[in-house]
Amino acid sequence: MKKIPSFNACIEDSIKSYWQLDALTDYKGATLQYQDVARKIEKLHILFENSGIKRGDRIALCGRNMSHWAVAFLATLTYGAVAVPVLHEFTAEQIHNTVNHSEARLLFVGDVVAKQIDPDKMPALEGIINIPDFSLMVSRSEQLTNARENLNRLFGERYPKHFRKENVSYYKEQSPEELALINYTSGTTGFSKGVMVPYRAMWSNLDFASKELDSQLHPGDHIISILPMAHMYGMAFEFLKEFMSGCHIFYLTRMPSPAVVAQAFTDIKPVIIVAVPLVIEKIIRKKVFPKVNTPAMKVLMHTPVIGTKIKEKICRKVYEAFGGRLYEIIVGGAALNQEVEAFLMKIKFPIAVGYGATECAPIITFADWKLHKPCSCGRPVVHMEVKIDSKNPRKVPGEILARGLNVMLGYYKNDEATAQALDKDGWYHTGDLGVMDRKGNVYIKGRSKNMILGPSGQNIFPEEIEDTLNSLPFVMESLVVQRGGKLVALVHPDIDACTAKNMSSGDVEALMKQNLEQLNASQPAYCKVAHIEIRDEEFEKTPKKSIKRYLYT
């Protein structure tokens, strides 16, 4: 195998190469050029150095996508510290747990998160820094306080004759196995798993994206960041690859509702869109299906010559809905709705599908839209092997196993979970079930891990919600499922306890509404349950007394 290049060297080269190009913009706000990003990174490096931060120390980041989040993340890696991205939708308790578990010394927070967290619940933190302006919110270190107060003077003393691209020189990782970041799949103490991502996995994902997209991405091209950068999918393919390609990245900086996203597509005209299925499906269902699902249009679309012209016209309209300059939309994180997928393929719209996991930083399989097979999630990507743990992998579903440069080092401070996920031969056990055709296309048939994908790419683990729900009054057992993009809790009440209290069905419904309010108060926004559906009978179970979840999803 050839020597793996330094990932941080790639960041350095990109900044120098695109010095005077626009790099990061907060949508309808300020723009940073690559040279501005470099200057801000340098100031943060001086802050880290003068406050006693060492190579390998953990620095956590928690806030909405914005230019300064990206700057802080790049500064952390290029200093040689370990980044700990935290989803800003986590509850305060989850943020505290993640910061404490990772042993972070510094925490960068957005303005919304800053109002939610309690610094006293994170006693090991030496400082909390406000992401929007990099001001110091909390300091428990005299070194840190002095460094921040004198930062401009320290910067001026180091670079008395202006800061130029010749001054840019970043820490180069000593080994491809060196730890780059810890990405948490969850935020609670009971289910928390910090995925240790090495630099080789960061570089390998970048190399994959370069081979797939370099002919389509050019310096100055526009990109919209929709997915959370704290999630590996959004970080790798909406931020890092595009930044390394000299693209101009736009951050929405607020909740990406369908209306906001649709307007941003029109204004920004991105060349690549990376999204979870729900974003694409909502736009297609709201803007396209009402116009093409009329009886007359269905007849015309099946007419040989006329149908072809109508499909071409519809395809152009869909292009316009996404800005009009698109090469392709890359969908990942969950299966694309088959009706939507079939429609897009019928009109020859460029939809590409990938499959991955945080543990693979994240990509495992992918297929460009020209090679995409219906219902598949692509073929194994460069630097990765995939096999199906089945006696007949083409017909009988088995667990999807992956091995290669993208695979994590393990779970931070969790040897037991690491041993379950990584076998002695280096195969990562995904927990997902699938089959593979002769050409290597993988088809997912089920998710034994039960993870649900949130509307903006967040990982939702139903067991965590169920654990809380099952502890509430008169709940015997529960199951959280996703229906129509919303979470629904199926609940079997404690019938004996209800009977003993002489409770009517109306009383039980009223009680479950109270339980719903109490449950949602403990959950981040993307984990809130829309409603509780009461079941009179127990759930069907396996011999091990586990609920047969697949019967209810």
Side-chain angles (χ1 to χ4, degrees), residues 44-235:
L44 287 177
H45 283 182
I46 291 172
L47 179 69
F48 297 159
E49 178 185 337
N50 285 275
S51 58
I53 298 297
K54 301 290 192 295
R55 314 291 188 205
D57 284 344
R58 281 70 163 132
I59 297 177
L61 306 94
C62 186
R64 291 186 185 277
N65 285 8
M66 62 185 306
S67 297
H68 273 189
W69 194 107
V71 169
F73 179 83
L74 293 171
T76 299
L77 288 192
T78 55
Y79 183 78
V82 176
V84 183
V86 183
L87 282 171
H88 73 274
E89 295 107 328
F90 275 178
T91 64
E93 183 183 5
Q94 290 172 325
I95 295 169
H96 301 154
N97 290 338
T98 302
V99 169
N100 292 335
H101 186 265
S102 68
E103 301 172 293
R105 291 184 63 184
L106 295 178
L107 169 64
F108 285 84
V109 296
D111 47 8
V112 175
V113 173
K115 298 172 184 176
Q116 299 171 338
I117 59 173
D118 180 355
D120 292 338
K121 298 289 180 64
M122 299 173 286
L125 270 184
E126 294 173 27
I128 300 176
I129 299 169
N130 186 40
I131 291 175
D133 61 3
F134 293 144
S135 60
L136 191 58
M137 298 177 61
V138 173
S139 177
R140 296 176 175 135
S141 159
E142 188 175 339
Q143 274 185 294
L144 176 60
T145 300
N146 291 336
R148 183 63 188 91
E149 289 178 351
N150 296 287
L151 186 55
N152 288 334
R153 178 179 62 79
L154 293 169
F155 181 80
E157 289 175 353
R158 182 167 295 185
Y159 303 103
K161 296 182 179 180
H162 304 296
F163 178 74
R164 299 179 174 88
K165 61 180 172 182
E166 292 76 19
N167 301 125
V168 175
S169 179
Y170 295 150
Y171 167 79
K172 311 303 188 298
E173 56 271 26
Q174 303 302 298
S175 162
E177 298 298 314
E178 187 174 329
L179 181 62
L181 59 95
I182 305 174
N183 200 234
Y184 281 78
T185 60
S186 171
T188 67
T189 52
F191 294 84
S192 178
K193 287 193 290 187
V195 176
M196 296 189 291
V197 178
Y199 274 101
R200 62 163 161 76
M202 302 288 284
W203 174 84
S204 183
N205 272 269
L206 176 64
D207 191 50
F208 147 75
S210 298
K211 287 177 168 57
E212 291 290 342
L213 299 175
D214 267 1
S215 61
Q216 311 304 329
L217 285 176
H218 305 95
D221 279 347
H222 290 185
I223 297 294
I224 301 176
S225 175
I226 303 172
L227 302 172
M229 283 193 290
H231 192 287
M232 286 306 307
Y233 182 29
M235 181 194 299

Side-chain angles (χ1 to χ4, degrees), residues 238-509:
E238 273 189 336
F239 166 37
L240 291 174
K241 168 55 191 167
E242 286 77 3
F243 186 84
M244 308 284 198
S245 299
C247 294
H248 183 184
I249 305 169
F250 291 76
Y251 296 106
L252 301 181
T253 71
R254 55 178 175 147
M255 187 63 71
S257 68
V260 170
V261 172
Q263 185 60 49
F265 286 151
T266 300
D267 295 343
I268 297 168
K269 299 178 174 31
V271 295
I272 296 284
I273 292 174
V274 181
V276 293
L278 196 59
V279 172
I280 307 305
E281 290 167 10
K282 281 187 175 180
I283 291 174
I284 296 298
R285 291 187 186 281
K286 287 189 174 183
K287 288 200 164 191
V288 182
F289 277 179
K291 298 176 182 178
V292 301
N293 281 343
T294 63
M297 185 62 78
K298 288 180 178 179
V299 172
L300 289 173
M301 285 184 70
H302 285 87
T303 305
V305 178
I306 298 175
T308 300
K309 292 182 178 180
I310 288 176
K311 289 172 188 174
E312 291 174 355
K313 186 175 181 180
I314 292 171
C315 191
R316 284 196 298 271
K317 290 291 185 183
V318 177
Y319 262 103
E320 290 171 8
F322 291 107
R325 291 196 59 220
L326 200 63
Y327 168 67
E328 71 181 357
I329 293 178
I330 300 172
V331 175
L336 186 63
N337 177 269
Q338 291 187 21
E339 181 188 14
V340 172
E341 181 187 48
F343 168 75
L344 292 173
M345 295 189 74
K346 183 187 294 184
I347 64 172
K348 298 183 179 179
F349 185 81
I351 193 85
V353 178
Y355 162 67
T358 302
E359 287 83 351
C360 292
I363 200 69
I364 297 174
T365 66
F366 177 79
D368 181 87
W369 76 274
K370 296 173 183 175
L371 301 173
H372 175 61
K373 300 297 181 185
C375 300
S376 83
C377 56
R379 304 174 187 176
V381 300
V382 62
H383 310 307
M384 290 294 285
E385 301 173 73
V386 174
K387 69 177 181 180
I388 307 298
D389 189 13
S390 168
K391 293 181 179 179
N392 187 353
R394 292 178 190 167
K395 294 183 179 180
V396 180
E399 186 176 16
I400 301 171
L401 308 183
R403 181 171 67 178
L405 291 183
N406 294 11
V407 177
M408 66 174 178
L409 297 171
Y411 297 112
Y412 187 53
K413 296 193 292 190
N414 196 334
D415 292 340
E416 182 179 351
T418 299
Q420 291 175 353
L422 295 175
D423 65 27
K424 60 182 178 61
D425 296 317
W427 289 101
Y428 165 60
H429 291 242
T430 67
D432 296 327
L433 305 175
V435 295
M436 181 187 292
D437 67 20
R438 293 181 180 180
K439 294 186 177 180
N441 292 294
V442 174
Y443 299 79
I444 295 176
K445 298 300 181 182
R447 290 186 176 273
S448 60
K449 286 187 173 181
N450 306 325
M451 188 269 287
I452 296 171
L453 195 75
S456 297
Q458 310 97 327
N459 293 345
I460 299 172
F461 295 84
E463 294 95 335
E464 298 183 13
I465 305 173
E466 291 157 9
D467 187 58
T468 302
L469 184 54
N470 290 343
S471 67
L472 296 178
F474 298 95
V475 175
M476 177 64 73
E477 55 184 4
S478 65
L479 201 64
V480 173
V481 299
Q482 192 175 47
R483 291 180 181 171
K486 295 182 178 180
L487 296 180
V488 176
L490 312 181
V491 172
H492 174 58
D494 186 338
I495 301 298
D496 291 340
C498 292
T499 302
K501 292 284 187 180
N502 294 317
M503 295 174 66
S504 66
S505 59
D507 293 332
V508 175
E509 289 179 8

Side-chain angles (χ1 to χ4, degrees), residues 524-544:
Y526 64 88
C527 286
K528 292 189 185 300
V529 173
H531 69 271
I532 288 178
E533 181 179 304
I534 299 173
R535 293 181 52 83
D536 294 329
E537 297 180 357
E538 290 187 21
F539 296 98
E540 289 193 39
K541 299 180 179 66
T542 66
K544 292 183 179 180

